[in-house]
Each structure stands twice: as structure tokens, then as C-alpha cells.
Amino acid sequence: MSYFIIPQAWIAPAIAAAAMSFGTLGDTTKVIYRNLPGQGLGEARPPRTIVIDKRPASEWSKAKAQCVIGHEYGHLRGFRDESNKDDPVHSDNPRSLMFHSLNLTACERWRSHHGL
Ligand SMILES: [Zn+2]
């Protein structure tokens, strides 16, 4: 099965924006592709690897790809929201990029804030 490789021209600015949002990892972030279980779009593998689900190009947009990268980068940086008792690695605010699922409105706000 062929799958979409996210262009470096989308990845680099997303990582730069995520470093502004969450702090820098201080080293190169690696993006790899795997068949993730369930509906997962991405996964963070500390210390600095972002796993992207193997999907056809038709299932990716620039916004979706950049926000998944930004979200997973937040996990690599150890994002915590202790007020979200059941799932403190995510925000319980649907307006946050760190909400447990991809919210395209929050995604667009984050992208436009960072000029993506
Ligand atoms: Zn997450």
C-alpha cells in the first residue's frame, strides 16, 4: 500500500511552531510512518520521534498533518494538564491543540497564530 509522506516543507514550520508553543526539544525531531492501531493519526515516541499513520494522500491535508505533528510534539515535550483527571496528557479544552482528538477549529487557530 502506498501512503502519504508529509512534505518536509510542511513538517519544518510545524515543528518550529510547536517548539514555540511547547518549548524546544533541543535536537532534530524524527518523523516515521507506521500502521497505527485504531483511528490514531499520530503517536509520540520519546525522546524525539513522531509516528504518523500510513494513510493515502486523500486522507491528509496540510492543516491536519501540521496539527498532528504539533500535537505529538506537545506529547514529546511532556504536555500535562492535571485538571484533566482522566487523561492528564491531554487538555480538556476543545480549543486546545492538546485536546485528545483533532479539532479543526483549534487546529486552524494554532496554525494561523504561527503563520502556517
Ligand atoms: Zn494526544
Side-chain angles (χ1 to χ4, degrees), residues 19 48 60 87 89 95 101 106 114:
R48 57 183 62 90
W60 287 107
D87 185 14
V89 302
R95 294 165 62 92
S101 64
H114 291 284

Side-chain angles (χ1 to χ4, degrees), residues 25 43-51 72 75-78:
L25 281 171
E43 199 177 279
R45 287 193 192 161
R48 57 183 62 90
T49 301
I50 292 172
V51 187
E72 300 310 336
H75 285 310
L76 290 179
R77 283 286 303 156

Side-chain angles (χ1 to χ4, degrees), residues 30-109:
K30 199 173 156 192
V31 177
I32 64 172
Y33 297 83
R34 296 286 185 274
N35 288 307
L36 293 174
Q39 294 303 303
L41 291 162
E43 199 177 279
R45 287 193 192 161
R48 57 183 62 90
T49 301
I50 292 172
V51 187
I52 296 293
D53 190 42
K54 290 183 175 179
R55 294 179 179 219
S58 60
E59 291 190 34
W60 287 107
S61 63
K62 184 177 182 182
K64 191 170 168 181
Q66 289 187 320
C67 288
V68 169
I69 288 167
H71 178 101
E72 300 310 336
Y73 191 98
H75 285 310
L76 290 179
R77 283 286 303 156
F79 175 88
R80 300 283 294 177
D81 179 358
E82 301 300 340
S83 70
N84 192 4
K85 300 263 178 267
D86 298 329
D87 185 14
V89 302
H90 289 115
S91 171
D92 59 3
N93 179 356
R95 294 165 62 92
S96 168
L97 187 65
M98 292 312 292
F99 192 61
H100 67 84
S101 64
L102 181 69
N103 173 327
L104 282 174
T105 307
C107 171
E108 282 308 339
R109 189 180 306 111

